[in-house]
Amino acid sequence: MTDSGVSAAGRLTGPQILAMGDAAVAGLTIGISVYAAAILIAVGMGLTAARQGRRRRAIICAVIVGILTVAGVVIAVASSIV
């Protein structure tokens, strides 16, 4: 067995250490989750404000949702190019 925890036959036999690339992927996953939560919170606040007759707050929430959505599309396209 080698130090990486993989036996000569190629089977996992021990604990594995995450590479730095895996940590970056985990960070991106958390970031995407927080980003999606921000959009959902803004949608919920906008719906609540609209039901209560608070037009200004509802409009602000709609603008925030639009900005976050467009920013997400721009970042997705930019990251696929790079």
Side-chain angles (χ1 to χ4, degrees):
M1 181 167 71
T2 63
D3 291 336
S4 66
V6 179
S7 68
R11 292 177 293 189
L12 297 176
T13 58
Q16 299 295 310
I17 299 173
L18 291 177
M20 290 303 289
D22 292 339
V25 171
L28 286 173
T29 302
I30 292 172
I32 290 171
S33 299
V34 170
Y35 177 76
I39 292 175
L40 290 175
I41 289 169
V43 167
M45 288 177 61
L47 289 174
T48 302
R51 256 191 250 156
Q52 294 175 352
R54 298 179 177 174
R55 291 185 65 203
R56 181 174 292 170
R57 183 175 286 181
I59 291 170
I60 290 171
C61 287
V63 169
I64 290 172
V65 169
I67 289 171
L68 288 173
T69 303
V70 170
V73 170
V74 169
I75 290 172
V77 169
S79 68
S80 69
I81 292 172
V82 176

